[in-house]
Amino acid sequence: QVQLVESGGGLVQAGGSLRLSCAASAGTFSSYAVGWFRQAPGKAREFVACINWNGYSTNYADSVEGRFTISRDNARNTAYLQMNSLKVEDTAVYYCAARDGIRGCGTGSYDYWGQGTQVTVSS
């Protein structure tokens, strides 16, 4: 089992950047695929990006492709989401999640979730 803690959220103007971090409890973080999801007020949670266990495979939602970059540092048990050219519609609570690496990077279910970090983009 792995515990996840997100950080790095905040208030930023449209066009700005933020980097979110997802720190995992020590253990077998390198064996997990990691995903980022977000949920805006009144909307369903949606997939943002994912990365496989070794970082060689990534996937992005169309809405963030080219603006967001997911990465990971297994030596630090941490995954990241670099968000550039932020838009007002990116405002949401962002969650990181993990699942067994054998399942790969994808949009399906994840087994472990963090508590989320708020990202607010102002116009």
Side-chain angles (χ1 to χ4, degrees):
Q1 189 167 350
V2 62
Q3 294 179 325
L4 306 171
V5 178
E6 302 95 336
S7 62
L11 174 64
V12 63
Q13 286 190 327
S17 299
L18 282 175
R19 189 177 79 156
L20 305 183
S21 298
C22 173
S25 56
T28 57
F29 176 72
S30 60
S31 68
Y32 291 96
V34 175
W36 284 96
F37 294 77
R38 66 187 182 186
Q39 187 166 20
K43 295 187 177 181
R45 186 170 61 196
E46 65 174 356
F47 169 80
V48 174
C50 64
I51 188 166
N52 75 331
W53 68 274
N54 61 8
Y56 288 172
S57 177
T58 59
N59 192 20
Y60 297 90
D62 290 343
S63 59
V64 307
E65 181 83 53
R67 299 188 298 121
F68 291 10
T69 302
I70 189 171
S71 62
R72 67 188 298 162
D73 183 342
N74 286 341
R76 297 179 184 271
N77 288 340
T78 303
Y80 305 96
L81 185 68
Q82 178 66 44
M83 306 186 296
N84 298 330
S85 301
L86 282 161
K87 304 176 180 180
V88 172
E89 51 264 42
D90 293 319
T91 295
V93 177
Y94 283 71
Y95 300 89
C96 70
R99 68 186 188 186
D100 193 323
I102 197 170
R103 296 172 57 196
C105 167
T107 60
S109 64
Y110 282 71
D111 300 315
Y112 308 105
W113 292 84
Q115 293 300 305
T117 186
Q118 176 71 47
V119 171
T120 302
V121 184
S122 63
S123 58

